[in-house]
Amino acid sequence: MLRIGIIGTGGIANAHVQGYLAFPEHCEIVALADVAPGRAAQKAEEFGISAAGYDDPAQMIAEADLDLVSIATPPSTHAQLTIAALDAGIHVLVEKPMAPSLEECEAMLAAQERSGKLLSVVAQNRFRDDLATLKEVVDSGLLGSISHVRVDSAWWRGLPYYDLWWRGTWEKEGGGCTLNHAIHHIDLLLWLLGSPAEVTAMLANAQHDNSEVEDLSVAVFRYERGLAQLTSSVVHHGEEQEIVIQGQHARVSQPWKVLAESSDAAGFPARGGDAERVAAIEAIVANREPLAHRGHEGQIEDLLAAIRDGRKPIADGRAGRDAIEVVTAIYKAGIEREFVSLPLSASDPYYRAGRLVEHAPHFFEKTASLAEAAS
């Protein structure tokens, strides 16, 4: 029975609590911590669990005899808490984004390596049936070489969203929608296609004049032959998120749609298209066994199994680090107005912690700093 601790008791902590509670035969939540006095105990009471409440995360790490800790705190705290837990011999599941800088990510990976424990970064969308299906189709080879990918990480947030004390600042949040919202889709892009060779981007704050950070970015990625484009946004009404993958032989997308053209003698689309290929792709979808657990619950199931089996988790620390590398390249490209080659070198100034805070534009200044988000 694994003993679980959770640091941070804000909204996202609920997904962690519910995820662990789904596997009572494998784990037990024994401790919660939050720097706001009394909030950890309050969260335990809310879920009816007999877990000790701590106002000091460091004290919890030192005293609670934990096997695994979830870190669900603001991004600027992830590295320090993760390293402390790993060095104490505790496995870690840390919320996205892994950390605001590659330097911090590498320090977290170094702690994981020397501790011999597991480090997993939240990538709950890998544990969705529709996206796992998309991955299986891409891996099948039925699409052929990839020509173009369009990713819309489209979210919408009103002005009060940035009133919470740590949001809307480069120092505490680490960035805007590119880091904190599109990180999900960046992870999926890397999961589906691997890392691009080159990135360029533009950043803007279109609608949130109470925030330093961007609320909109558009990036273009170069792969071996094809291109991908990513829109990161918290200004899109309807939050219509989409991934469209155009291959040599067919197109698939999430929400699900499949199309496959065939050529007539003159090179134009032939009537009816490639029905046989469409049928082969749809057969993959029809024959796929649905996931037993999804989202955070699915990732927690995988991590618990990885600890038991002595293997890497599906979404490990390296995957979390690679997503931050792409975010860093987007920010560098947008701020410096240049094309950025990947991988980034450790000698690159944007690799280092603090560089982004020093050089990022303040689109506007933060006008409110609430201790808790309005309910």
Side-chain angles (χ1 to χ4, degrees):
M1 181 72 69
L2 295 175
R3 293 170 58 84
I4 308 299
I6 299 174
I7 301 175
T9 59
I12 198 61
N14 293 351
H16 291 254
V17 173
Q18 291 163 348
Y20 291 116
L21 292 178
F23 306 102
E25 69 278 20
H26 295 303
C27 65
E28 178 186 10
I29 301 171
V30 299
L32 299 169
D34 197 293
V35 294
R39 281 189 61 179
Q42 182 181 349
K43 183 65 69 173
E45 183 179 355
E46 178 185 332
F47 279 91
I49 54 179
S50 56
Y54 291 85
D55 297 335
D56 181 358
Q59 183 184 5
M60 186 191 83
I61 290 171
E63 296 180 1
D65 187 23
L66 302 172
D67 298 300
L68 168 63
V69 65
S70 271
I71 296 172
T73 55
S76 61
T77 66
H78 286 180
Q80 178 184 2
L81 292 170
T82 295
I83 292 168
L86 289 167
D87 283 343
I90 303 168
H91 302 288
V92 173
L93 173 62
V94 62
E95 262 298 333
K96 61 80 191 168
M98 183 173 176
S101 74
L102 278 170
E103 184 177 36
E104 291 165 292
C105 291
E106 292 290 358
M108 295 161 78
L109 290 173
Q112 185 267 321
E113 181 70 23
R114 65 177 175 261
S115 71
K117 298 300 178 180
L118 296 185
L119 170 59
S120 182
V121 180
V122 170
Q124 74 268 30
N125 286 332
R126 294 192 186 197
F127 300 87
R128 280 174 44 175
D129 277 311
D130 54 351
L131 295 168
T133 297
L134 202 63
K135 169 73 168 167
E136 192 165 335
V137 170
V138 170
D139 289 348
S140 75
L142 285 168
L143 302 182
S145 62
I146 304 301
S147 312
H148 179 256
V149 179
R150 176 171 58 82
V151 180
D152 290 332
S153 187
W155 308 80
W156 188 91
R157 295 292 184 268
L159 290 174
Y161 179 78
Y162 285 108
D163 288 345
L164 188 61
W165 66 274
W166 58 270
R167 289 189 185 136
T169 67
W170 292 103
E171 182 180 3
K172 297 299 183 185
E173 195 174 13
C177 57
T178 312
L179 177 68
N180 293 290
H181 290 78
I183 193 75
H184 294 292
H185 286 94
I186 291 168
D187 174 73
L188 290 171
L189 184 65
L190 297 177
W191 187 47
L192 291 166
L193 299 184
S195 181
E198 191 175 39
V199 178
T200 192
M202 296 186 74
L203 314 173
N205 183 316
Q207 299 296 341
H208 294 87
D209 57 4
N210 61 339
S211 166
E212 300 172 5
V213 300
E214 90 286 355
D215 61 12
L216 177 66
S217 71
V218 177
V220 178
F221 308 95
R222 183 181 300 281
Y223 281 85
E224 184 177 356
R225 289 186 65 182
L227 299 174
Q229 65 190 75
L230 167 70
T231 298
S232 310
S233 168
V234 286
V235 299
H236 274 58
H237 295 271
E239 298 192 319
E240 295 172 344
Q241 297 163 21
E242 191 173 22
I243 300 175
V244 180
I245 303 174
Q246 301 282 356
Q248 177 186 4
H249 302 304
R251 167 245 211 239
V252 292
S253 63
Q254 180 278 325
W256 181 251
K257 187 176 183 179
V258 55
L259 296 166
E261 306 286 5
S262 61
S263 177
D264 67 12
F268 290 93
R271 181 175 297 180
D274 188 346
E276 184 176 339
R277 190 172 297 272
V278 169
I281 292 171
E282 291 285 15
I284 291 176
V285 180
N287 294 329
R288 238 194 118 260
E289 185 176 340
L291 297 168
H293 300 278
R294 300 171 183 84
H296 279 77
E297 188 175 304
Q299 182 160 357
I300 285 170
E301 177 192 35
D302 174 71
L303 180 55
L304 295 175
I307 293 170
R308 292 195 305 272
D309 299 342
R311 62 165 175 85
K312 291 182 179 180
I314 289 173
D316 63 6
R318 177 58 56 178
R321 178 257 179 225
D322 290 347
I324 295 300
E325 181 174 48
V326 171
V327 171
T328 303
I330 292 172
Y331 281 142
K332 179 179 179 181
I335 293 167
E336 304 294 339
R337 302 187 179 187
E338 63 182 57
F339 289 85
V340 177
S341 295
L342 293 176
L344 290 172
S345 165
S347 62
D348 190 302
Y350 279 86
Y351 175 98
R352 297 196 301 272
R355 173 73 179 197
L356 186 61
V357 174
E358 293 170 0
H359 288 263
H362 282 215
F363 290 100
F364 297 94
E365 295 304 322
K366 191 170 173 69
T367 57
S369 185
L370 302 180
E372 296 185 24
S375 58

